[in-house]
């Protein structure tokens, strides 16, 4: 029994490391780092950051970071953004599933004149994989995370994957 338990622990740790390496590779291939990354440990240590969720509303409704503001991706609206965050020097952290769409939205924010933008490295997937809480549309903590699709969902190793 002890051998089996050790095997399961090793299997879990290996799966987590493989997912992290895949996430690192994916970000390296798909992003050009036009918006600097902020890692979760740095983001948690800072006060007064405004978190912007750049996923679709269906994803945000399933779960998001606490107090995050939904700005969307396909429905990103510069006027709505300026209403929600009027000060251009506000410290902003934009995120999505892993950090690809959020880089695109970060570039749009930069074009609007925002000067203090960072992209959450690994997005909500890494946030949840690291054991931090996410919240549903009602503000309740949840284990559910919208996994975007089956391919991207492989990068989410903790929580309950939702695809609809």
């Amino acid at each position: 029994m002890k051998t089996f338990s050790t095997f399961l622990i090793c299997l879990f740790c290996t799966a987590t490391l493989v997912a992290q390496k895949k996430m690192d590779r994916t970000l390296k291939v798909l992003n050009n780092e036009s918006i600097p990354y902020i890692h979760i440990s740095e983001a948690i240590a800072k006060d007064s950051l405004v978190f912007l969720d750049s996923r679709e509303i269906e994803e945000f409704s399933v779960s998001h970071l606490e107090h995050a503001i939904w700005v969307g991706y396909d429905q990103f609206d510069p006027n709505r953004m300026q209403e929600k965050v009027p000060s251009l020097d506000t410290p902003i952290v934009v995120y999505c599933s892993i950090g690809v769409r959020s880089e695109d939205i970060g570039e749009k924010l930069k074009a609007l004149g925002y000067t203090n933008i960072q992209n959450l490295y690994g997005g909500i997937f890494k946030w949840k994989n690291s054991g931090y809480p996410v919240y549903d549309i009602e503000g309740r903590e949840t284990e559910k995370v919208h996994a975007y699709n089956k391919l991207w969902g492989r990068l989410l190793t903790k929580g309950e994957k939702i695809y609809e």
Side-chain angles (χ1 to χ4, degrees):
M1 186 64 156
K2 185 176 180 182
T3 304
F4 183 69
S5 296
T6 303
F7 171 75
L8 286 178
I9 291 169
C10 289
L11 183 63
F12 175 75
C13 290
T14 302
T16 301
L17 287 173
V18 168
Q20 183 57 50
K21 286 183 180 182
K22 284 182 181 180
M23 186 179 296
D24 293 341
R25 267 194 317 265
T26 302
L27 288 172
K28 188 166 264 190
V29 168
L30 297 177
N31 281 1
N32 58 27
E33 296 187 45
S34 58
I35 304 301
Y37 288 121
I38 184 169
H39 291 271
I40 293 169
S41 58
E42 298 170 79
I44 287 174
K46 291 186 178 182
D47 290 331
S48 65
L49 293 174
V50 173
F51 286 89
L52 301 180
D53 191 312
S54 63
R55 299 172 305 146
E56 301 302 338
I57 193 67
E58 297 81 14
E59 296 169 86
F60 179 84
S61 295
V62 171
S63 63
H64 52 270
L65 305 190
E66 190 172 27
H67 306 301
I69 298 170
W70 177 77
V71 296
Y73 185 74
D74 290 333
Q75 302 86 7
F76 179 78
D77 179 355
N79 294 324
R80 185 175 175 277
M81 178 62 211
Q82 290 169 330
E83 287 173 13
K84 293 286 186 182
V85 186
S87 177
L88 297 178
D89 64 348
T90 299
I92 292 172
V93 174
V94 63
Y95 73 92
C96 62
S97 295
I98 69 165
V100 177
R101 292 177 285 175
S102 52
E103 183 176 76
D104 294 344
I105 296 301
E107 290 170 355
K108 290 180 180 186
L109 294 170
K110 196 181 215 181
L112 290 172
Y114 289 92
T115 60
N116 194 354
I117 312 156
Q118 294 178 293
N119 186 5
L120 185 63
Y121 189 86
I124 196 170
F125 286 9
K126 186 164 176 66
W127 183 275
K128 186 64 181 165
N129 290 347
S130 298
Y132 293 103
V134 294
Y135 298 84
D136 66 18
I137 199 69
E138 305 294 327
R140 297 177 301 236
E141 190 171 332
T142 183
E143 288 301 310
K144 296 177 181 179
V145 178
H146 196 290
Y148 189 67
N149 64 32
K150 300 280 183 180
L151 178 66
W152 290 95
R154 291 188 291 178
L155 300 174
L156 180 64
T157 59
K158 290 190 179 173
E160 180 185 343
K161 298 174 189 179
I162 303 296
Y163 293 103
E164 53 216 35

